[in-house]
């Protein structure tokens, strides 16, 4: 809850680049995520997450993926070269 993940360079991961699992009022902001085996940024469950200003590329699945997370805001992100959707 109230996690703030910002200004990171995440590359060459075996799974998701950044993953939030539950909680509330979490923010993922201004990260560079590239070359992931699954999603670049994934939000699972929780409420009121914010995903903004991230640059996500070369993912094995969706660039940004949100599942079962009520009130989540996804804005101002850039995705390219994803094997799935840019944002799902």
């Amino acid at each position: 809850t109230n996690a703030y993940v910002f200004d990171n360079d995440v590359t060459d991961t075996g799974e998701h680049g950044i993953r939030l699992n539950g909680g509330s009022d979490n923010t993922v902001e201004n990260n560079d995520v590239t070359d992931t085996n699954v999603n670049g940024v994934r939000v699972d469950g929780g409420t009121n997450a914010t995903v903004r200003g991230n640059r996500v590329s070369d993912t094995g699945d969706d660039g940004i993926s949100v599942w079962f997370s009520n009130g989540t805001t996804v804005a101002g992100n850039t995705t390219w070269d994803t094997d799935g959707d840019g944002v799902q």
Side-chain angles (χ1 to χ4, degrees):
T1 299
N2 293 319
Y4 188 45
V5 181
F6 67 101
D7 290 338
N8 294 287
D9 291 316
V10 180
T11 188
D12 197 23
T13 65
E15 288 289 329
H16 305 285
I18 297 170
R19 183 175 185 180
L20 297 177
N21 196 8
S24 62
D25 302 310
N26 297 312
T27 301
V28 178
E29 182 174 28
N30 200 36
N31 298 284
D32 290 301
V33 182
T34 186
D35 197 19
T36 65
N37 281 358
V38 194
N39 305 117
V41 176
R42 173 127 180 184
V43 179
D44 282 316
T47 56
N48 301 321
T50 301
V51 180
R52 71 173 163 239
N54 299 286
R55 291 151 307 280
V56 182
S57 65
D58 300 313
T59 62
D61 201 350
D62 302 318
I64 298 170
S65 179
V66 177
W67 288 90
F68 306 106
S69 182
N70 295 326
T72 294
T73 300
V74 178
N77 300 283
T78 304
T79 64
W80 68 98
D81 292 334
T82 64
D83 284 352
D85 296 319
V87 176
Q88 179 189 40

